[in-house]
Amino acid sequence: MTSALEQLKETLGEVDDLQRTAAVLFWDQETYMPPGGLAGRASQVELLSRLAHERFTDARVDELLEQAARETADQPASSDDASLVRVSRRLYDREVKLPIELVAEMARAESEAQPVWAEAREKSDWKIFEPRMRITTDLAKRAAEAYGYTDRPLQALLEGTEPGVTLDQVEAIFSGLRETIVPLVKHIAEHHDAVDDSVLDRHYDEQRQISYSLDVVQRLGFDLQRGRQDLTRHPFCTSFGRDDVRITTRVKRDIRDSCLFSSIHEAGHGMYEQGVGANLNRTPMAEGASSGVHESQSRLWENLVGRSRPFWRHFFPSFQKAFPHVLADVDAEHIYRAVNSVQPSYIRVDSDEVTYNLHIMLRTELEIDLLEGRLQVEDVPEAWNQKLEHYLGLAAPPAANGCLQDIHWTFPTLGGFVGYTMGNVLSAQIMESVRGDLPDLDDQIEAGEFSNLLGWLRTNLHEHGAKFTPNELVERVTGSPLTVDAWVRYVRGKYGELYGLD
Amino acid sequence: MTSALEQLKETLGEVDDLQRTAAVLFWDQETYMPPGGLAGRASQVELLSRLAHERFTDARVDELLEQAARETADQPASSDDASLVRVSRRLYDREVKLPIELVAEMARAESEAQPVWAEAREKSDWKIFEPRMRITTDLAKRAAEAYGYTDRPLQALLEGTEPGVTLDQVEAIFSGLRETIVPLVKHIAEHHDAVDDSVLDRHYDEQRQISYSLDVVQRLGFDLQRGRQDLTRHPFCTSFGRDDVRITTRVKRDIRDSCLFSSIHEAGHGMYEQGVGANLNRTPMAEGASSGVHESQSRLWENLVGRSRPFWRHFFPSFQKAFPHVLADVDAEHIYRAVNSVQPSYIRVDSDEVTYNLHIMLRTELEIDLLEGRLQVEDVPEAWNQKLEHYLGLAAPPAANGCLQDIHWTFPTLGGFVGYTMGNVLSAQIMESVRGDLPDLDDQIEAGEFSNLLGWLRTNLHEHGAKFTPNELVERVTGSPLTVDAWVRYVRGKYGELYGLD
């Protein structure tokens, strides 16, 4: 007779197949689908999501989870089987709490909100988007109620993207960062002449940017036998299983929103997905541990590797060879400095490593205030601009470059920005642990040797997939809880030297 | 209360969504999927096919069909709703006859047979493939038993690809063709100097072939707002719904297996799918009427349009402009003659319009003999070579270029070749009807005006999707039953003139 565990695995495998298939539909929609395909695609995606939800929340899964828990009671908590039961139970208990009508309402709200947001941003008019933002906030509140929480609604939503992470933890991180960044940004501003980044604005052949980027991510360790790169308007990474991971990038004439860094960022996500243990295949653990942990990998490769001096010492000769006329008069150090220039700016996705987290704090604080009733939807633009002035010293922008810039508020939930800052902070903390084990990491990078770094990440982090919660994983990987200390050391050291601060 | 008809439509819509999604997975697999994706993809496709099958063969569908039949009893047979019930009932009654174990066994056999066939063809050794061919034949027999038939097993299988077409009809077509083609090929052979096709072997830039082909199919009427073209090893057409139809093509340095004609052929299929009425969306009628009718459209555009003199009079100047150095010394008439050269050859997919049907007859006759016990699997190579000598006057080839050349016998069914010949014959019969209504068609083609031809096909054929059976449709479109007469007139006229026969 088949054990409950085996039956559970079979059902979860099917749920996984359905979700991965929905991911293929999404990838195709963003990369190659002709415009006519949109209507049919929406109905296909909706059906697959519904089938996956129905299959996963079936009462039979509850029974199987219970029986499988008994069958695996003697196994250590970190074993694959015990983890499968634990992780699936957590996801099951959460997913059954959302009434199916609310799930449908949320899906509908999202697709309805996006064209309204696009129009509002086009016309730079918050009033157009305001009714949709009320719906977003209302749905987020209702979802939080359905999931349940003690005193703070965002806590219930955060549990979905960062299981086990508390809002107190997040706010402690924010306040630690605020203390460092706000004065650091001012200090850098006084020395802004130290870095000349005008080389980024030259004209780089687009096709060559794309092929060069693909070459770089391959050399970092993104496996093209088990993945590929395509072009999209907004770069992303998606996985159809560890052996088929798709990243996308975008390209412009200049390299300010660089194709190269987009590719490295997404390849960071991609190498994480490619590194998930084959033993976790077709289970809910066959993915990254959380949005924040995922972002730690993309940021580690993009910033701590890709924007490092040894990286440019290694890659500059080939980069110069790819663009010989454009780069005839510059050297590795010049590019290294240019890609690390710090400048408060309006747009989150274009912002540098130092100011980026301020953009996240600003948004998350507004979301908390909305959910806890201290802020009304109509007052969002004003609150946005106040914080912008306070954190970044910038005057109020048109709404298109302010509170209408991100697509995230068309999603029928809130709290989605937190992972970006968790990722930034965690990337530095992980990198300190890596350096403990690989003291000559900089020499390796300068020699174009990335396999020890990737190997370290694989063994310590990637292989576990979503077996552990973010906090458990941080403890396992770094030996201490998540704090801002490593990140603060990293930015103070790097930017202090770059800008000649004392 | 929702009518049974509405509930039926909803269920059939979901079945359609699942099937289209499986088609997206297949398209991705053939176009862009990295090698690592294969294993995961197989499990995703298998699940979707199973879900579609389960949903469609559910006993509730039987009930809904019965009730919906009563609800639509007063509607004319050709109405959308009455047709939906009639067509779905036919498909349902057929699909429930296959035991689910046999369905699974057939799916497994297919995936297992393909690598064996690839190896056998590689080594040109029938003995390697023989055991798999026994399984193919056995499964085809068992499927035929399950579907049921009076005296000829292939009849039961044919019903799946060409509903309502009898094996007697097919054999009458074959014998009509045989009478014409065998002597015609001999007659042409005596005059083979009349056509010089060496221009096809020159070197044509591959990228330019691809973009030129895309340009041509767009001008014929393939809509890139609702479709696209990509590269694959074996060209095909697949539809994710009438508004998202994907065709693929392939390219070599020479134009003997031409990228252009591959593209036109697949675009012929594609325009059919794009032309299916929007009213049939998400129903089992939202596709071509049968393999044969589908092939009539691809062949009509590829051969009766694309290999016609007025076509080349129109396109030659732009074709020459695309390959100015290669084509400096030739003219439209030269290309027209070259792309119509007739030469008995071993490989079906490379063969010309005249000899092509002989390849189909040969295969189908062997399949009938296998199923009816007159031929043993181990004797296939010998039987193949005998027929090859008899029909095409060719000496026995290595098995790789003989009975191992086609992938079709890895499919756990037989009878799949019939549609190719039905399509060829039907394309000529339809074209005679078109010319009755558009007497200046050749002038239109020479002027690059294809919209009246496409419009005629849309109105008379494409819009109906799979509402009518092939025989019903042929009667509706051409006013008479399917016969070889039009095709015989067409090849005798065209090739008589080309080769200067009397």
Side-chain angles (χ1 to χ4, degrees):
Chain A
M1 203 197 103
T2 324
S3 67
L5 183 66
E6 285 311 312
Q7 292 174 58
L8 179 67
K9 282 181 184 171
E10 188 43 42
T11 302
L12 294 175
E14 291 186 358
V15 172
D16 189 71
D17 283 338
L18 290 167
Q19 289 166 338
R20 305 294 186 175
T21 301
V24 175
L25 294 179
F26 174 78
W27 173 87
D28 176 70
Q29 178 169 330
E30 298 298 310
T31 49
Y32 296 111
M33 189 179 81
L38 207 56
R41 187 54 53 90
S43 123
Q44 293 152 7
V45 170
E46 191 273 326
L47 175 63
L48 287 180
S49 310
R50 182 153 52 78
L51 289 179
H53 175 81
E54 282 171 8
R55 245 175 163 70
F56 183 54
T57 56
D58 192 286
R60 176 81 186 127
V61 173
D62 194 23
E63 288 167 30
L64 289 174
L65 279 167
E66 209 160 303
Q67 293 166 32
R70 282 196 295 273
E71 289 171 7
T72 56
D74 295 341
Q75 298 189 34
S78 66
S79 70
D80 289 350
D81 288 344
S83 299
L84 178 75
V85 174
R86 180 183 67 250
V87 170
S88 307
R89 170 54 78 188
R90 186 187 73 223
L91 293 170
Y92 179 87
D93 286 348
R94 184 173 169 81
E95 198 156 331
V96 289
K97 280 183 188 155
L98 272 201
I100 185 85
E101 303 73 31
L102 185 54
V103 173
E105 210 176 325
M106 289 167 87
R108 206 167 42 245
E110 180 167 342
S111 60
E112 286 171 2
Q114 298 204 350
V116 180
W117 166 73
E119 190 200 341
R121 192 173 67 154
E122 173 81 22
K123 298 187 177 156
S124 197
D125 184 354
W126 175 257
K127 284 284 162 209
I128 294 174
F129 188 62
E130 211 176 270
R132 298 306 320 182
M133 187 63 190
R134 283 212 174 82
I135 293 174
T136 297
T137 311
D138 174 60
L139 287 170
K141 279 182 187 164
R142 286 163 61 198
E145 295 298 332
Y147 291 133
Y149 59 90
T150 316
D151 51 356
R152 309 192 61 187
L154 196 68
Q155 180 64 64
L157 303 177
L158 193 59
E159 182 66 20
T161 50
E162 306 297 332
V165 172
T166 67
L167 198 46
D168 288 351
Q169 243 189 307
V170 172
E171 289 186 329
I173 289 170
F174 282 177
S175 101
L177 290 174
R178 201 181 294 118
E179 271 172 40
T180 308
I181 305 173
V182 175
L184 181 64
V185 170
K186 286 199 179 124
H187 204 167
I188 288 174
E190 293 157 14
H191 296 71
H192 77 269
D193 288 348
V195 174
D196 170 14
D197 66 1
S198 60
V199 66
L200 307 179
D201 296 316
R202 296 179 183 178
H203 177 193
Y204 300 77
D205 178 80
E206 276 119 319
Q207 277 312 312
R208 208 158 304 156
Q209 284 191 60
I210 296 168
S211 60
Y212 186 76
S213 299
L214 186 61
D215 190 41
V216 169
V217 299
Q218 232 184 320
R219 286 158 76 188
L220 297 181
F222 182 69
D223 181 356
L224 291 183
Q225 289 297 302
R226 303 192 291 126
R228 53 177 287 121
Q229 173 175 282
D230 297 272
L231 283 180
T232 49
R233 205 169 146 199
H234 303 287
F236 63 90
C237 169
T238 183
S239 162
F240 311 150
R242 68 190 288 281
D243 295 324
D244 188 356
V245 177
R246 314 279 174 104
I247 61 173
T248 73
T249 191
R250 62 172 167 193
V251 68
K252 288 187 187 167
R253 281 166 61 111
D254 64 69
I255 56 167
R256 211 163 263 286
D257 304 329
S258 149
C259 172
L260 177 62
F261 287 113
S262 285
S263 290
I264 299 176
H265 180 97
E266 300 307 333
H269 287 302
M271 288 185 275
Y272 190 3
E273 292 288 336
Q274 290 184 334
V276 171
N279 48 318
L280 305 181
N281 221 13
R282 293 182 82 232
T283 77
M285 299 181 287
E287 59 176 13
S290 77
S291 301
V293 178
H294 236 301
E295 199 70 11
S296 79
Q297 298 307 290
S298 54
R299 289 302 196 174
L300 185 149
W301 287 100
E302 178 193 357
N303 289 337
L304 285 84
V305 174
R307 294 185 206 268
S308 74
R309 189 174 270 127
F311 177 94
W312 282 102
R313 286 198 174 143
H314 175 71
F315 279 105
F316 183 74
S318 60
F319 191 57
Q320 193 178 38
K321 210 168 155 189
F323 307 99
H325 304 299
V326 193
L327 295 173
D329 60 336
V330 299
D331 61 12
E333 182 68 13
H334 189 126
I335 294 285
Y336 165 63
R337 299 180 70 83
V339 300
N340 284 295
S341 80
V342 174
Q343 179 76 51
S345 67
Y346 290 107
I347 306 295
R348 172 182 64 86
V349 296
D350 299 344
S351 66
D352 58 78
E353 231 182 325
V354 180
T355 57
Y356 190 95
N357 293 318
L358 295 172
H359 290 273
I360 300 306
M361 273 180 236
L362 180 163
R363 287 154 177 76
T364 306
E365 286 167 3
L366 295 184
E367 292 183 349
I368 293 173
D369 287 348
L370 279 167
L371 286 175
E372 298 183 0
R374 283 185 301 278
L375 175 65
Q376 301 308 307
V377 168
E378 61 267 29
D379 299 328
V380 164
E382 199 190 325
W384 181 287
N385 292 338
Q386 275 174 4
K387 283 188 190 285
L388 194 71
E389 209 287 321
H390 183 63
Y391 287 158
L392 288 156
L394 293 171
N401 291 338
C403 55
L404 282 172
Q405 70 182 266
D406 297 302
I407 199 172
H408 298 57
W409 287 344
T410 66
F411 307 152
T413 183
L414 295 172
F417 289 104
V418 169
Y420 297 113
T421 281
M422 274 197 50
N424 288 332
V425 170
L426 181 52
S427 68
Q429 186 166 337
I430 290 173
M431 204 53 155
E432 285 198 350
S433 295
V434 173
R435 289 185 187 279
D437 288 342
L438 303 175
D440 65 339
L441 180 67
D442 282 347
D443 294 340
Q444 293 190 22
I445 292 176
E446 192 167 335
E449 170 55 58
F450 300 98
S451 63
N452 294 319
L453 170 57
L454 180 57
W456 193 100
L457 295 170
R458 288 253 148 106
T459 309
N460 290 285
L461 200 142
H462 299 178
E463 274 184 5
H464 303 310
K467 188 183 265 192
F468 305 111
T469 64
N471 283 327
E472 288 166 355
L473 201 57
V474 175
E475 283 274 355
R476 283 181 75 100
V477 176
T478 73
S480 55
L482 182 64
T483 74
V484 298
D485 302 350
W487 191 83
V488 167
R489 280 191 287 274
Y490 163 67
V491 293
R492 282 211 175 121
K494 177 174 177 179
Y495 292 93
E497 190 259 359
L498 247 167
Y499 278 91
L501 314 179
D502 23 72
Chain B
M1 205 197 100
T2 324
S3 68
L5 182 66
E6 286 310 313
Q7 292 175 58
L8 179 67
K9 283 181 184 171
E10 188 43 40
T11 302
L12 295 174
E14 291 185 358
V15 172
D16 188 72
D17 283 337
L18 290 167
Q19 290 166 338
R20 305 294 186 175
T21 300
V24 176
L25 294 179
F26 175 79
W27 173 88
D28 176 71
Q29 178 170 330
E30 297 298 310
T31 49
Y32 295 110
M33 191 180 80
L38 207 57
R41 187 54 52 90
S43 124
Q44 292 151 9
V45 170
E46 191 273 326
L47 175 63
L48 287 180
S49 309
R50 182 154 50 79
L51 289 180
H53 175 81
E54 282 172 8
R55 245 177 163 68
F56 183 54
T57 56
D58 193 285
R60 177 78 186 128
V61 172
D62 194 22
E63 287 167 29
L64 288 174
L65 279 167
E66 207 160 304
Q67 292 166 31
R70 282 196 295 274
E71 288 172 8
T72 56
D74 295 341
Q75 298 188 34
S78 66
S79 71
D80 290 348
D81 288 345
S83 299
L84 178 75
V85 174
R86 181 183 65 249
V87 170
S88 307
R89 169 54 77 187
R90 187 187 72 223
L91 294 170
Y92 179 88
D93 286 349
R94 184 173 170 82
E95 199 157 331
V96 290
K97 281 183 187 155
L98 272 202
I100 185 85
E101 303 75 32
L102 185 54
V103 173
E105 209 176 325
M106 289 168 86
R108 205 165 45 244
E110 179 166 345
S111 60
E112 285 171 2
Q114 298 204 350
V116 180
W117 166 72
E119 189 200 341
R121 192 174 65 154
E122 173 80 23
K123 299 186 177 157
S124 198
D125 183 354
W126 175 257
K127 283 284 161 212
I128 295 174
F129 187 64
E130 210 175 271
R132 299 304 323 183
M133 187 64 190
R134 283 212 175 82
I135 293 174
T136 297
T137 311
D138 174 60
L139 286 171
K141 279 181 186 162
R142 285 163 61 199
E145 295 298 332
Y147 292 132
Y149 59 90
T150 317
D151 51 356
R152 310 192 61 186
L154 196 69
Q155 180 65 61
L157 304 176
L158 193 59
E159 182 65 20
T161 50
E162 306 297 334
V165 173
T166 67
L167 197 47
D168 288 351
Q169 243 189 308
V170 172
E171 290 185 328
I173 289 170
F174 283 177
S175 102
L177 291 175
R178 202 181 294 117
E179 272 172 40
T180 308
I181 304 173
V182 176
L184 181 62
V185 170
K186 287 199 179 124
H187 204 168
I188 288 175
E190 293 158 14
H191 296 71
H192 75 271
D193 288 347
V195 173
D196 171 13
D197 65 3
S198 60
V199 66
L200 305 179
D201 296 316
R202 297 179 182 178
H203 176 192
Y204 300 76
D205 177 79
E206 276 120 320
Q207 278 312 312
R208 208 158 303 157
Q209 284 190 59
I210 297 168
S211 59
Y212 187 76
S213 299
L214 186 60
D215 190 41
V216 169
V217 299
Q218 231 182 322
R219 287 158 76 187
L220 298 181
F222 182 69
D223 181 356
L224 291 183
Q225 290 297 302
R226 304 191 292 126
R228 53 177 287 122
Q229 172 174 283
D230 297 272
L231 283 180
T232 49
R233 203 167 148 203
H234 302 287
F236 64 90
C237 168
T238 183
S239 162
F240 311 150
R242 67 191 290 279
D243 295 324
D244 187 356
V245 176
R246 313 278 175 105
I247 62 173
T248 74
T249 191
R250 64 173 167 193
V251 68
K252 288 187 188 167
R253 281 166 61 110
D254 64 70
I255 57 169
R256 212 163 263 287
D257 303 329
S258 150
C259 172
L260 176 63
F261 287 114
S262 285
S263 290
I264 298 176
H265 180 97
E266 300 307 333
H269 287 301
M271 289 185 277
Y272 190 2
E273 292 289 336
Q274 289 184 333
V276 170
N279 48 318
L280 305 180
N281 221 15
R282 294 182 80 234
T283 77
M285 299 180 287
E287 59 175 15
S290 78
S291 301
V293 178
H294 236 301
E295 200 70 11
S296 78
Q297 298 307 289
S298 54
R299 289 303 196 173
L300 185 148
W301 288 100
E302 177 193 356
N303 290 337
L304 285 83
V305 175
R307 294 185 205 270
S308 74
R309 189 174 271 128
F311 177 93
W312 283 102
R313 287 199 175 144
H314 174 71
F315 278 105
F316 183 74
S318 60
F319 191 58
Q320 194 178 37
K321 211 168 156 188
F323 307 98
H325 304 299
V326 192
L327 295 173
D329 61 336
V330 300
D331 61 10
E333 182 68 13
H334 189 126
I335 294 285
Y336 164 65
R337 298 179 71 84
V339 300
N340 283 295
S341 80
V342 174
Q343 180 76 50
S345 68
Y346 290 106
I347 306 296
R348 172 182 62 85
V349 296
D350 300 344
S351 66
D352 58 79
E353 228 180 331
V354 180
T355 57
Y356 190 95
N357 293 318
L358 295 172
H359 290 272
I360 300 306
M361 274 179 235
L362 180 163
R363 287 154 178 76
T364 305
E365 286 166 2
L366 295 184
E367 291 183 349
I368 292 172
D369 287 348
L370 280 167
L371 286 176
E372 298 182 1
R374 285 184 301 276
L375 175 65
Q376 300 308 307
V377 167
E378 61 268 27
D379 300 327
V380 164
E382 200 191 323
W384 180 287
N385 293 338
Q386 275 175 3
K387 283 189 190 285
L388 194 70
E389 210 285 321
H390 182 63
Y391 287 159
L392 288 156
L394 294 171
N401 292 338
C403 55
L404 282 172
Q405 69 183 267
D406 296 303
I407 198 172
H408 298 58
W409 287 343
T410 67
F411 307 151
T413 184
L414 294 172
F417 290 104
V418 169
Y420 297 114
T421 281
M422 272 197 49
N424 288 333
V425 170
L426 182 52
S427 68
Q429 186 166 338
I430 290 173
M431 204 52 155
E432 287 198 349
S433 295
V434 173
R435 289 185 187 278
D437 288 341
L438 304 175
D440 64 339
L441 180 66
D442 282 346
D443 294 339
Q444 292 190 24
I445 293 176
E446 192 166 336
E449 169 56 56
F450 300 98
S451 62
N452 294 320
L453 169 57
L454 181 56
W456 193 100
L457 295 170
R458 287 252 148 105
T459 309
N460 291 284
L461 200 141
H462 300 178
E463 272 183 9
H464 302 310
K467 189 183 264 191
F468 305 111
T469 64
N471 283 328
E472 288 167 353
L473 201 57
V474 174
E475 283 274 356
R476 283 182 74 100
V477 177
T478 72
S480 55
L482 182 64
T483 75
V484 298
D485 303 347
W487 191 84
V488 167
R489 278 192 288 272
Y490 163 67
V491 292
R492 282 209 175 123
K494 177 173 177 179
Y495 293 93
E497 190 260 1
L498 247 168
Y499 279 90
L501 315 179
D502 25 71

